[in-house]
Amino acid sequence: MGSSEYVARPLNRTAKIYVAGHRGLVGSAIWRKLESEGFTNIIGRTSAELDLKDRGAVFEFFASEKPNYVVLAAAKVGGILANNTFPADFLSENMQIQVNTMDAALEHNVERLLFLGSSCIYPKMAPQPLKEEYLLTGQLEPTNDAYAIAKIAGILQIQSIRRQHGKAWISAMPTNLYGPGDNFSPMGSHVMPALIRRYDEAVQNGATTVVNWGSGTPLREFLHVDDMASACLFLLEHYDGPEHVNVGVGSDVTIKELSETVAQAVGYEGSMEWDASKPDGTHRKLMDVSKLTAAGWTAKIGLHEGIQQTVDWFRNNRESFRG
Ligand code: GDP
């Protein structure tokens, strides 16, 4: 991180901060983090209260609430099958959410805004680990290209608003996230919640075989959402540059290794099979996190510990989990 991009500028704990998407995996973790750091004026709206695709409603909301800061953690997200099946929805809904929220935030003079994307913005064949500068250097992974294009447009919107309006707005690109509050829907979720639910149900039903998707050979990096929330606040208070910043742990595991770890955490002792008719997606998307670590932030929650904590959360929230 260049020294000119480094700012030690604490956020005002009593200023109004709007967490868009505060019921989601990331938004709810950011909300908890802000509360624990002493923020006293955090606001959120459920999607039933405020549909961020409704441009008029978004402008009315900003006009009446006038937040000082915004964390834009609202998005339509999903696992590989959902992205591959509903690309038009992922592109259109994410574009609308971002454009409406950033336009309204600009009109109402929001001082600092953090936009969140995803590691799928990088070209499928980019060298690993993925550096920020590899953005827009090649073709995207086809299973989630529509979602990725929406997120790339968001990064460009941040950069353009900085250039044209001089706003100290920034973007962060997390790797695959997991943790309490995730979406556990079997068809729509990401791999971690899918495996937790599948293995837990196998234990409950006494099943001796489970079937996972793809070949098990792709590699993925996993960041606990509480670490992500900590990185978000760190960036808001320390980073002021046009380039997005990767957020990850800097190491990855194969999907097969992940499923073995989840099986162990859940107490599943049966066998696992692989359904090759389901897509593998990109082979690897390990983040280069040196830009963030150079500024002084690193992830704290190890994968085993994070998985165990998420399994415990899932088992304690069977009645209320999403999906
Ligand atoms: P991705 O990182 O965008 O590919 O998203 P996912 O988290 O959905 O998938 C990651 C990898 O896990 C892919 O290679 C999937 O094929 C694999 N996988 C194995 N079992 C499952 C499952 O039950 N659900 C999902 N979503 N992925 C699975």
Side-chain angles (χ1 to χ4, degrees), residues 78-81 83 120 143-144 176 186-192 194-195 198 211-215 218 220 222 255 274 278-282 285:
I80 190 163
L81 198 64
N83 269 279
C120 68
T143 53
N144 53 25
N176 293 41
M187 299 311 280
S189 79
H190 286 103
V191 61
M192 180 83 82
L195 295 179
R198 183 173 301 136
V211 182
N212 298 324
W213 297 1
S215 65
R220 292 291 183 274
F222 294 94
I255 296 301
W274 298 91
K278 295 284 197 309
D280 266 346
T282 197
K285 45 179 177 178

Coordinates of all heavy atoms in Angstrom, one line a residue, residues 78-81 83 120 143-144 176 186-192 194-195 198 211-215 218 220 222 255 274 278-282 285, ligand 1:
G78 N -24.7 -16.0 -4.3 CA -25.0 -17.5 -4.4 C -23.9 -18.3 -4.8 O -22.8 -17.8 -5.2
G79 N -24.0 -19.6 -4.6 CA -23.0 -20.5 -5.0 C -22.9 -20.8 -6.5 O -23.6 -20.1 -7.3
I80 N -22.1 -21.7 -6.9 CA -21.7 -21.9 -8.3 C -23.0 -22.3 -9.1 O -23.1 -21.8 -10.2 CB -20.6 -23.0 -8.3 CG1 -20.0 -23.1 -9.8 CG2 -21.1 -24.4 -7.9 CD1 -18.7 -23.8 -9.8
L81 N -23.9 -23.1 -8.6 CA -25.0 -23.5 -9.3 C -26.0 -22.4 -9.5 O -26.5 -22.1 -10.6 CB -25.7 -24.7 -8.6 CG -26.6 -25.5 -9.5 CD1 -25.9 -26.2 -10.7 CD2 -27.4 -26.5 -8.7
N83 N -25.3 -19.1 -9.5 CA -24.7 -18.2 -10.4 C -24.8 -18.6 -11.9 O -25.1 -17.9 -12.8 CB -23.3 -17.9 -10.1 CG -23.1 -16.8 -9.1 OD1 -23.1 -15.6 -9.5 ND2 -23.0 -17.1 -7.8
C120 N -14.0 -13.4 -7.6 CA -14.4 -13.9 -8.9 C -14.2 -12.8 -10.0 O -14.4 -13.1 -11.2 CB -15.7 -14.5 -9.0 SG -17.0 -13.3 -8.7
T143 N -18.9 -19.6 -15.2 CA -20.0 -20.0 -14.2 C -20.4 -18.8 -13.4 O -21.5 -18.7 -12.9 CB -19.6 -21.1 -13.3 OG1 -18.4 -20.8 -12.6 CG2 -19.5 -22.4 -14.0
N144 N -19.5 -17.7 -13.3 CA -20.0 -16.5 -12.5 C -19.6 -15.2 -13.2 O -19.4 -14.2 -12.5 CB -19.5 -16.6 -11.1 CG -18.0 -16.8 -11.0 OD1 -17.3 -16.5 -11.9 ND2 -17.6 -17.4 -9.9
N176 N -13.6 -16.3 -0.6 CA -14.8 -17.0 -0.2 C -15.0 -16.8 1.3 O -14.1 -17.1 2.1 CB -14.7 -18.5 -0.5 CG -14.7 -18.8 -2.0 OD1 -14.0 -18.0 -2.8 ND2 -15.4 -19.8 -2.5
P186 N -29.5 -25.9 0.2 CA -28.7 -26.9 -0.5 C -28.4 -26.5 -2.0 O -27.3 -26.8 -2.4 CB -29.6 -28.1 -0.4 CG -30.6 -27.9 0.7 CD -30.8 -26.4 0.8
M187 N -29.3 -25.9 -2.7 CA -29.0 -25.6 -4.1 C -28.4 -24.3 -4.3 O -27.6 -24.0 -5.2 CB -30.3 -25.7 -5.0 CG -30.9 -27.1 -5.0 SD -29.8 -28.5 -5.3 CE -29.7 -28.4 -7.1
G188 N -28.7 -23.3 -3.4 CA -28.3 -21.9 -3.7 C -27.0 -21.5 -2.9 O -26.4 -20.5 -3.3
S189 N -26.6 -22.3 -2.0 CA -25.5 -21.9 -1.1 C -24.1 -22.1 -1.7 O -23.9 -22.7 -2.7 CB -25.6 -22.6 0.2 OG -25.0 -23.9 0.1
H190 N -23.1 -21.5 -1.0 CA -21.7 -21.8 -1.3 C -21.3 -23.1 -0.7 O -22.1 -23.7 0.1 CB -20.8 -20.6 -0.8 CG -20.9 -19.4 -1.6 ND1 -21.7 -18.3 -1.2 CD2 -20.4 -19.1 -2.8 CE1 -21.6 -17.4 -2.1 NE2 -20.8 -17.8 -3.1
V191 N -20.1 -23.5 -1.0 CA -19.7 -24.9 -0.6 C -19.6 -25.1 0.9 O -20.1 -26.1 1.4 CB -18.4 -25.3 -1.3 CG1 -17.2 -24.4 -0.9 CG2 -18.0 -26.7 -1.0
M192 N -19.1 -24.1 1.7 CA -19.0 -24.4 3.1 C -20.3 -24.7 3.8 O -20.4 -25.7 4.5 CB -18.2 -23.2 3.8 CG -18.0 -23.4 5.2 SD -16.6 -24.4 5.6 CE -15.3 -23.2 5.5
A194 N -23.0 -25.6 2.5 CA -23.6 -26.8 1.9 C -23.0 -28.1 2.5 O -23.8 -29.0 2.9 CB -23.3 -26.8 0.4
L195 N -21.7 -28.1 2.7 CA -21.1 -29.3 3.3 C -21.5 -29.4 4.8 O -21.8 -30.5 5.3 CB -19.6 -29.2 3.2 CG -19.0 -29.2 1.8 CD1 -17.5 -29.1 1.9 CD2 -19.4 -30.5 1.1
R198 N -25.0 -30.8 4.8 CA -25.1 -32.1 4.3 C -24.6 -33.2 5.3 O -25.1 -34.2 5.5 CB -24.3 -32.2 2.9 CG -24.4 -33.6 2.3 CD -23.7 -33.5 0.9 NE -24.4 -32.5 0.0 CZ -23.8 -31.6 -0.8 NH1 -22.4 -31.6 -0.8 NH2 -24.4 -30.8 -1.5
V211 N -22.9 -37.3 -1.1 CA -22.4 -37.0 -2.4 C -22.2 -35.4 -2.5 O -23.1 -34.7 -2.4 CB -23.4 -37.4 -3.5 CG1 -22.9 -37.1 -4.9 CG2 -23.8 -38.9 -3.3
N212 N -20.9 -35.1 -2.8 CA -20.6 -33.6 -3.0 C -20.5 -33.3 -4.5 O -20.5 -34.2 -5.3 CB -19.3 -33.3 -2.3 CG -19.4 -33.6 -0.8 OD1 -20.4 -33.3 -0.2 ND2 -18.3 -34.1 -0.2
W213 N -20.4 -32.1 -4.8 CA -20.4 -31.6 -6.2 C -19.0 -31.6 -6.8 O -18.0 -31.2 -6.1 CB -21.0 -30.2 -6.3 CG -22.4 -30.1 -5.9 CD1 -23.2 -31.1 -5.4 CD2 -23.2 -28.9 -5.9 NE1 -24.4 -30.6 -5.1 CE2 -24.4 -29.3 -5.4 CE3 -22.9 -27.6 -6.2 CZ2 -25.5 -28.3 -5.2 CZ3 -23.9 -26.7 -6.1 CH2 -25.2 -27.0 -5.6
G214 N -18.9 -31.8 -8.1 CA -17.7 -31.6 -8.9 C -16.7 -32.8 -8.6 O -17.1 -33.9 -8.2
S215 N -15.4 -32.4 -8.7 CA -14.4 -33.5 -8.6 C -13.7 -33.4 -7.2 O -12.9 -34.3 -6.9 CB -13.3 -33.2 -9.7 OG -12.7 -32.0 -9.5
P218 N -10.8 -28.7 -7.1 CA -10.5 -27.3 -7.1 C -10.0 -26.8 -5.7 O -10.3 -27.4 -4.7 CB -11.9 -26.6 -7.4 CG -12.7 -27.7 -8.1 CD -12.2 -29.0 -7.5
R220 N -9.8 -23.6 -3.0 CA -10.5 -22.4 -2.5 C -9.9 -21.9 -1.2 O -9.4 -22.7 -0.4 CB -12.0 -22.6 -2.3 CG -12.8 -22.9 -3.5 CD -13.0 -21.7 -4.5 NE -13.8 -22.0 -5.6 CZ -13.4 -22.6 -6.7 NH1 -12.1 -22.9 -6.9 NH2 -14.2 -22.8 -7.7
F222 N -10.6 -19.7 2.2 CA -11.8 -19.4 3.1 C -11.5 -18.4 4.2 O -10.5 -18.6 4.9 CB -12.4 -20.6 3.7 CG -13.0 -21.6 2.6 CD1 -12.2 -22.6 2.1 CD2 -14.2 -21.4 2.1 CE1 -12.7 -23.4 1.1 CE2 -14.7 -22.2 1.1 CZ -13.9 -23.2 0.6
I255 N -11.2 -28.7 -2.3 CA -12.6 -29.0 -1.8 C -12.6 -30.3 -1.1 O -13.4 -30.4 -0.1 CB -13.6 -28.9 -3.0 CG1 -13.6 -27.5 -3.6 CG2 -15.0 -29.3 -2.6 CD1 -13.9 -26.3 -2.6
W274 N -18.3 -38.1 -5.3 CA -18.2 -36.8 -6.0 C -19.1 -36.9 -7.3 O -19.0 -37.9 -8.0 CB -16.8 -36.5 -6.4 CG -16.0 -36.3 -5.1 CD1 -15.3 -37.2 -4.4 CD2 -16.0 -35.1 -4.3 NE1 -14.8 -36.7 -3.2 CE2 -15.2 -35.4 -3.1 CE3 -16.5 -33.8 -4.5 CZ2 -15.0 -34.4 -2.2 CZ3 -16.2 -32.8 -3.5 CH2 -15.5 -33.2 -2.3
K278 N -21.9 -31.9 -11.7 CA -22.0 -30.6 -11.1 C -20.7 -29.8 -11.5 O -19.6 -30.5 -11.5 CB -22.2 -30.6 -9.6 CG -23.5 -31.2 -9.2 CD -24.6 -30.2 -9.4 CE -25.9 -30.6 -8.6 NZ -26.3 -32.0 -8.7
P279 N -20.7 -28.5 -11.7 CA -19.5 -27.8 -12.2 C -18.5 -27.7 -11.0 O -18.8 -27.5 -9.9 CB -20.1 -26.4 -12.6 CG -21.4 -26.3 -11.8 CD -21.9 -27.6 -11.6
D280 N -17.2 -27.7 -11.5 CA -16.1 -27.4 -10.6 C -15.9 -25.9 -10.4 O -15.3 -25.5 -9.4 CB -14.8 -28.0 -11.1 CG -14.5 -29.4 -10.6 OD1 -15.2 -29.8 -9.6 OD2 -13.7 -30.1 -11.2
G281 N -16.2 -25.2 -11.5 CA -15.8 -23.8 -11.5 C -14.4 -23.6 -11.7 O -13.7 -24.5 -12.3
T282 N -13.9 -22.4 -11.4 CA -12.5 -22.1 -11.6 C -11.6 -23.1 -10.8 O -12.0 -23.5 -9.7 CB -12.2 -20.6 -11.3 OG1 -11.0 -20.2 -12.0 CG2 -12.2 -20.3 -9.9
K285 N -8.4 -19.8 -7.0 CA -8.5 -18.4 -6.9 C -8.0 -17.9 -5.6 O -8.7 -17.3 -4.8 CB -9.9 -17.8 -7.2 CG -11.1 -18.5 -6.6 CD -12.4 -17.9 -6.9 CE -13.6 -18.6 -6.3 NZ -14.8 -17.9 -6.6
Ligands
GDP1 P1 -17.2 -20.8 -6.3 O1 -16.1 -20.5 -5.4 O2 -17.8 -19.5 -7.0 O3 -16.9 -21.9 -7.3 O4 -18.5 -21.2 -5.4 P2 -18.9 -22.4 -4.5 O5 -18.6 -22.2 -3.1 O6 -20.4 -22.6 -4.8 O7 -18.2 -23.7 -5.0 C1 -16.8 -24.0 -4.7 C2 -16.4 -25.4 -5.1 O8 -17.0 -26.3 -4.2 C3 -16.8 -25.8 -6.5 O9 -15.8 -26.5 -7.1 C4 -18.0 -26.8 -6.3 O10 -18.2 -27.7 -7.3 C5 -17.6 -27.4 -5.0 N1 -18.7 -28.0 -4.2 C6 -18.7 -29.3 -3.7 N2 -19.9 -29.6 -3.1 C7 -20.6 -28.5 -3.2 C8 -21.9 -28.1 -2.7 O11 -22.7 -28.9 -2.1 N3 -22.4 -26.8 -3.0 C9 -21.6 -25.9 -3.6 N4 -22.0 -24.7 -3.8 N5 -20.3 -26.2 -4.1 C10 -19.9 -27.5 -3.9

